[in-house]
């Protein structure tokens, strides 16, 4: 049995015991319902290949992680362990941790109801003091104990994230793919579903099924008009899946930086390969036209949502591998008309009506800025990608030019949407497909930290 199988075996045994305990009422047995723990002892430090993107440490010692749902993370865990143990002489051990699993986080027990009074002494409740981003954010105490962190998240942080993904998106995380597109338009979803249906009808497609937020799974030819694409969920999700999980997920995150933070906080625990925002923006240059594309290459954060996690003065760089791939995809989709796309700074704000400022206030707000576009989500998605070490990007379409007498009004907006939606979506889809063919290109050292870094990607 390999290491990941051992982790899964211990976790599955805890799940079985939890079900038995709650069924029989033998509450004292719940003390043994615990998460598995993975420990790697690096016996001797040595210099390794300077190009290694992960699987390295700064010193010898014990690196450990208490893990949930190792079945979901099996491929990731194997790749990380292979890298670490190939670079150093290591001892790897799997044991039970001393961290109990609350019933709410046990698969199949999420809605088990209230516990009787006599059970409360033995059965733990979900505790928010066990949910934080101390490792991701490089807190001193997280890196200066007897054992150093191996993975980015605590098990309850992981479990709460996947529970919230189910709550917000409508479906379990089992079919979530490694390449994620964010939008805030139902029309983009429709175009993505059209693409997925066409692919599933093709004999040589790499995609095997399309999962809708209703839970419906499509695996053969169907008319898009016959599908129910609307959803009661706040951030409906659409998984165009492959056998290996390297397909594309699209999530309609709605409007605003808070939604962008919520969804990326949760998705990060599953270690996706990349996420990209495809949205609309205000163009800031009088030479622009409605429908032009802005490829974000810098991010000016005026939403302030992540200031407590990332100091405002920290630069959020573009990820070259994402940039180059998006540029090539735009050229492929639009042909020779390369003048419609430019790279530039994206400024994100939490105020949808930012352009209603008094002219003097607007002048002072933008004075010195090189922003080519203003939107509400892209900077948060980029900043959380930077923070969680998930490669990120933004490909935005200009929907209005508010500083140049072209505000967003219903008639013009609808005409623009009709003309641009398919091409815009396909630029991002083709980019993701190209990245999926060689995912190692994304696994660079560019998002790794100088201090406060873990061995795993």
């Amino acid at each position: 049995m390999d290491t990941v199988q051992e982790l899964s075996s211990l976790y599955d045994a805890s799940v079985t015991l939890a079900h038995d305990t709650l069924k029989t009422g033998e509450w004292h047995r719940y003390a043994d319902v615990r998460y598995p723990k993975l420990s790697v002892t690096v016996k001797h430090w040595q210099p390794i290949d300077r190009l290694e993107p992960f699987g390295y440490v700064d010193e010898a010692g014990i690196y450990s992680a208490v893990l949930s749902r190792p079945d979901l993370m099996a491929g990731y865990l194997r790749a990380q362990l292979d890298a670490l143990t190939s670079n150093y002489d290591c001892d790897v051990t799997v044991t039970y941790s001393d961290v109990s699993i609350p019933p709410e986080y046990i698969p199949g027990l999420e809605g088990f109801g209230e516990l009787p009074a006599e059970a409360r002494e033995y059965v733990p409740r979900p505790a928010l003091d066990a949910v934080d981003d101390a490792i991701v954010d490089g807190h001193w105490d997280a890196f200066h104990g007897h054992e150093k962190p191996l993975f980015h998240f605590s098990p309850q942080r992981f479990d709460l994230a996947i529970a919230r993904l189910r709550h917000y998106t409508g479906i379990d995380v089992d079919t979530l793919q490694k390449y994620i597109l964010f939008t805030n338009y139902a029309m983009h979803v429709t175009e993505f579903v059209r693409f997925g249906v066409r692919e599933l009808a093709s004999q040589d497609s790499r995609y095997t099924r399309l999962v809708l937020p209703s839970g419906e799974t499509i695996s053969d030819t169907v008319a898009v008009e016959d599908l129910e694409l609307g959803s009661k969920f706040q951030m409906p999700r659409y998984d165009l899946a492959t056998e290996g999980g390297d397909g594309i997920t699209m999530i309609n995150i709605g409007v605003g930086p808070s939604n962008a933070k919520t969804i990326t906080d949760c998705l990060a625990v599953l270690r996706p390969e990349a996420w990209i925002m495809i949205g609309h923006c205000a163009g800031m240059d009088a030479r622009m036209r409605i429908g032009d594309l802005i490829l974000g290459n810098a991010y000016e954060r005026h939403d302030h949502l992540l200031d407590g996690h990332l100091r405002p003065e920290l630069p959020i760089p573009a990820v070259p591998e994402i940039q180059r791939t998006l540029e090539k995809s735009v050229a492929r989709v639009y042909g020779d008309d390369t003048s419609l796309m430019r790279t530039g700074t994206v400024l994100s704000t939490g105020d949808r009506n930012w352009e209603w400022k008094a002219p003097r206030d607007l002048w002072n707000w933008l004075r010195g800025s090189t922003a080519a576009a203003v939107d509400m989500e892209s900077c948060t998605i980029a900043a959380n990608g930077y923070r969680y070490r998930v490669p990120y990007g933004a490909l935005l379409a200009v929907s209005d030019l508010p500083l140049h007498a072209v505000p967003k009004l219903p008639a013009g907006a609808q005409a623009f949407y009709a003309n641009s939606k398919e091409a815009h979506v396909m630029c991002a889809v083709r980019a993701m497909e190209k990245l999926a063919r060689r995912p190692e290109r994304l696994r660079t050292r560019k998002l790794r930290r100088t201090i406060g870094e873990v061995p795993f990607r």
Side-chain angles (χ1 to χ4, degrees):
M1 185 183 296
D2 74 6
T3 300
V4 177
Q5 287 177 317
E6 286 185 68
L7 289 164
S8 294
S9 179
L10 292 186
Y11 181 82
D12 291 345
S14 280
V15 169
T16 299
L17 179 59
H19 279 265
D20 289 346
T21 299
L22 295 184
K23 182 178 179 180
T24 63
E26 298 174 278
W27 310 116
H28 64 281
R29 298 176 61 207
Y30 205 96
D32 291 325
V33 177
R34 291 171 287 155
Y35 292 105
K37 179 179 179 179
L38 172 64
S39 298
V40 179
T41 301
V42 177
K43 292 191 263 187
H44 305 287
W45 184 88
Q46 64 187 26
I48 63 168
D49 184 346
R50 62 174 61 88
L51 298 179
E52 288 281 4
F54 51 79
Y56 60 84
V57 297
D58 292 331
E59 59 183 346
I62 302 172
Y63 296 80
S64 64
V66 179
L67 299 169
S68 182
R69 297 297 304 272
D71 58 311
L72 280 179
M73 306 295 287
Y76 167 85
L77 291 171
R78 286 193 178 96
Q80 305 310 303
L81 282 169
D82 285 348
L84 188 57
T85 56
S86 296
N87 286 330
Y88 305 99
D89 182 14
C90 299
D91 286 335
V92 180
T93 58
V94 173
T95 60
Y96 275 116
S97 72
D98 58 1
V99 183
S100 296
I101 312 177
E104 289 85 352
Y105 297 150
I106 296 285
L109 292 180
E110 296 91 346
F112 72 97
E114 285 293 318
L115 285 169
E118 62 269 22
R120 294 171 190 164
E121 177 183 350
Y122 305 100
V123 182
R125 318 310 300 143
L128 288 181
D129 57 4
V131 177
D132 59 53
D133 278 335
I135 299 172
V136 159
D137 290 336
H139 291 186
W140 174 271
D141 290 343
F143 286 85
H144 290 83
H146 172 64
E147 299 180 8
K148 298 177 178 62
L150 189 63
F151 183 55
H152 309 78
F153 304 99
S154 70
Q156 288 201 26
R157 166 69 168 85
F158 185 100
D159 281 337
L160 183 57
I162 62 173
R164 287 191 172 173
L165 283 171
R166 184 168 55 247
H167 169 74
Y168 285 115
T169 71
I171 44 180
D172 286 331
V173 298
D174 305 65
T175 59
L176 189 120
Q177 301 297 290
K178 298 174 185 175
Y179 297 86
I180 299 169
L181 297 178
F182 300 118
T183 182
N184 39 33
Y185 287 96
M187 62 182 177
H188 287 161
V189 167
T190 301
E191 294 304 321
F192 180 71
V193 171
R194 288 188 194 280
F195 166 75
V197 167
R198 289 196 303 270
E199 283 291 310
L200 293 172
S202 172
Q203 294 296 318
D204 57 354
S205 176
R206 74 191 191 100
Y207 302 106
T208 58
R209 64 199 185 283
L210 174 64
V211 184
L212 304 181
S214 63
E216 180 181 2
T217 298
I218 301 162
S219 56
D220 51 17
T221 304
V222 65
V224 174
E225 292 72 22
D226 294 335
L227 299 175
E228 178 53 59
L229 299 184
S231 175
K232 65 181 179 180
F233 298 100
Q234 185 174 343
M235 301 187 204
R237 193 179 97 223
Y238 305 79
D239 297 335
L240 185 55
T242 66
E243 288 295 344
D246 61 348
I248 305 172
T249 283
M250 178 175 276
I251 306 176
N252 185 346
I253 65 173
V255 175
S258 182
N259 281 4
K261 180 180 183 298
T262 296
I263 197 69
T264 49
D265 281 348
C266 296
L267 289 167
V269 303
L270 294 166
R271 310 314 298 145
E273 296 283 5
W275 57 46
I276 292 174
M277 179 70 195
I278 53 169
H280 294 157
C281 65
M284 304 300 282
D285 189 326
R287 294 168 294 176
M288 292 178 179
R289 302 291 183 267
I290 301 300
D292 282 3
L293 297 176
I294 307 294
L295 176 58
N297 69 350
Y299 298 93
E300 193 174 331
R301 293 189 287 143
H302 286 219
D303 56 76
H304 303 297
L305 199 61
L306 287 167
D307 287 2
H309 297 277
L310 292 171
R311 299 194 310 274
E313 66 270 20
L314 283 176
I316 306 299
V319 179
E321 293 77 10
I322 298 277
Q323 301 296 98
R324 289 193 292 266
T325 306
L326 281 170
E327 285 180 349
K328 291 176 182 177
S329 295
V330 170
R332 176 180 175 185
V333 171
Y334 282 88
D336 295 332
D337 189 12
T338 56
S339 64
L340 61 77
M341 191 194 78
R342 62 178 285 180
T343 58
T345 299
V346 178
L347 185 158
S348 287
T349 174
D351 180 5
R352 174 57 192 86
N353 298 320
W354 60 269
E355 66 267 46
W356 296 3
K357 295 176 185 286
R360 181 186 294 271
D361 293 337
L362 198 59
W363 178 281
N364 288 331
W365 184 53
L366 294 172
R367 182 165 52 89
S369 173
T370 61
V374 175
D375 83 340
M376 298 186 70
E377 299 84 20
S378 295
C379 290
T380 297
I381 285 168
N384 246 3
Y386 175 86
R387 179 174 165 234
Y388 289 124
R389 293 77 154 170
V390 176
Y392 49 85
L395 183 66
L396 307 176
V398 175
S399 60
D400 55 310
L401 299 159
L403 301 187
H404 309 290
V406 188
K408 184 181 284 189
L409 296 172
Q414 292 305 317
F416 155 65
Y417 297 159
N419 292 332
S420 69
K421 57 187 178 181
E422 181 181 7
H424 192 183
V425 169
M426 290 311 301
C427 288
V429 166
R430 296 306 183 198
M432 287 303 206
E433 288 183 325
K434 188 169 184 178
L435 290 168
R437 287 196 288 271
R438 287 183 57 199
E440 66 277 3
R441 290 182 299 174
L442 287 167
R443 299 168 189 168
T444 71
R445 299 164 294 167
K446 296 180 181 68
L447 299 181
R448 303 284 288 185
R449 300 293 183 268
T450 303
I451 57 173
E453 192 55 87
V454 301
F456 283 6
R457 176 180 67 82

